[in-house]
Amino acid sequence: MARTDRLMRLMDTLRRLPQPVTASRLSEETGVSLRQLYRDIATLRAGGALIDGAAGIGYTLVEDPALPPQSFSRIEIEALMLALSGLEQIGDDGLTQAGRNAMARIIATLPDAQARQAMHTVLRSWRRPDARPAVTIDMDLLREACWEEFSLQITYRDLREQVTERKIWPLGLSYGADKMMLLAHCRLRQDFRIFHVNRIEQLSRGEESFRPRRVGLLRDYVAQRRKEYAQAQR
């Protein structure tokens, strides 16, 4: 792991975990040895981070120079925490953890009173645990393919239980109340298709790049749907 990434992960862990947090817990969370952890703590302190504590006692992040002070109203804090609680229910563990890390950074910059409000919000999002079908593929790879614009090979079981092999250009993901959908351009059909993500049984990286065509394809898809809608209204 690169040094910068390692230090960023350590800072994220200090922001996220209840403090003081022991060196052994930090070592476990960040995946480094205790010896390396102590060196990284010293590096962060040298860079201006105010970290109280020592080995055998636990560490507390008192001040983080990388994060400027900021302030939110009570309802803005509630909105952010509500969005995070909704994120935790969509069935995408990587995205959920990213949301938690981002929220930890935000809370670390708040004044004490607002930080306490964030820990005790009154608004919550909830759904039945069985409301969303389980997703079994590598969601990190799927998101990366959308961002980096490379093709994917998928094995797909459609709603009639027919299994097909497809090469697609993934364009975007939609997280609904009870399902996750993928908009893609099917290279076999040379047309847009929408796939139920939970029905993708296998997923692997393809060899084809479609950069920089994603934005243009999305415009084409929106124009196509608008045309279909206008025709249906006649």
Side-chain angles (χ1 to χ4, degrees):
M1 184 188 304
R3 177 174 179 271
T4 301
D5 292 340
R6 192 178 68 246
L7 294 175
M8 182 176 294
R9 177 176 293 187
L10 176 56
M11 286 296 288
D12 285 342
T13 304
L14 282 166
R15 296 179 189 118
R16 175 169 50 86
L17 294 180
Q19 299 182 8
V21 55
T22 64
S24 60
R25 179 69 187 280
L26 288 170
S27 173
E28 178 184 353
E29 290 283 333
T30 57
V32 302
S33 67
L34 283 173
R35 179 177 295 181
Q36 183 63 61
L37 176 73
Y38 297 142
R39 287 198 293 261
D40 289 345
I41 290 287
T43 299
L44 290 175
R45 284 170 166 166
L50 183 55
I51 302 173
D52 280 352
I57 300 174
Y59 295 98
T60 299
L61 180 62
V62 179
E63 183 178 343
D64 182 355
L67 299 174
Q70 56 186 327
S71 181
F72 296 95
S73 68
R74 181 186 293 271
I75 195 168
E76 287 172 337
I77 293 172
E78 291 276 0
L80 289 169
M81 298 305 292
L82 181 63
L84 178 60
S85 67
L87 190 64
E88 292 172 346
Q89 299 174 24
I90 66 175
D92 187 332
D93 293 340
L95 198 60
T96 300
Q97 187 59 53
R100 289 172 181 162
N101 292 343
M103 189 60 67
R105 289 195 190 98
I106 292 173
I107 293 174
T109 70
L110 296 177
D112 288 345
Q114 293 184 339
R116 288 193 295 271
Q117 290 173 8
M119 301 302 293
H120 301 285
T121 53
V122 299
L123 304 182
R124 292 290 186 273
S125 175
W126 182 88
R127 68 172 177 85
R128 285 188 2 236
D130 60 345
R132 181 184 296 277
V135 173
T136 59
I137 60 170
D138 184 351
M139 288 301 300
D140 289 337
L141 176 59
L142 181 52
R143 283 192 298 271
E144 183 184 3
C146 293
W147 292 331
E148 300 300 326
E149 300 173 18
F150 57 78
S151 65
L152 292 170
Q153 296 288 147
I154 66 171
T155 301
Y156 186 71
R157 184 181 297 274
D158 65 21
L159 296 176
R160 294 173 295 178
E161 302 301 326
Q162 295 180 346
V163 178
T164 56
E165 303 289 333
R166 318 245 187 148
K167 181 168 77 170
I168 62 171
W169 289 354
L171 302 176
L173 287 161
S174 174
Y175 296 84
D178 59 355
K179 61 177 69 72
M180 192 187 309
M181 310 298 290
L182 169 67
L183 171 64
H185 195 269
C186 177
R187 304 310 296 149
L188 176 64
R189 302 300 181 188
Q190 288 293 301
D191 201 359
F192 298 103
R193 292 290 186 270
I194 295 179
F195 299 97
H196 293 251
V197 175
N198 66 292
R199 288 185 164 270
I200 302 176
E201 297 185 342
Q202 295 184 27
L203 176 76
S204 61
R205 179 169 182 154
E207 299 179 352
E208 188 177 13
S209 171
F210 59 97
R211 178 169 289 178
R213 298 188 57 188
R214 177 176 173 269
V215 172
L217 286 167
L218 287 171
R219 289 197 192 102
D220 292 344
Y221 175 73
V222 171
Q224 178 179 307
R225 293 304 301 270
R226 285 176 174 170
K227 182 178 180 181
E228 292 170 355
Y229 178 78
Q231 291 174 342
Q233 298 303 306
R234 292 175 182 172

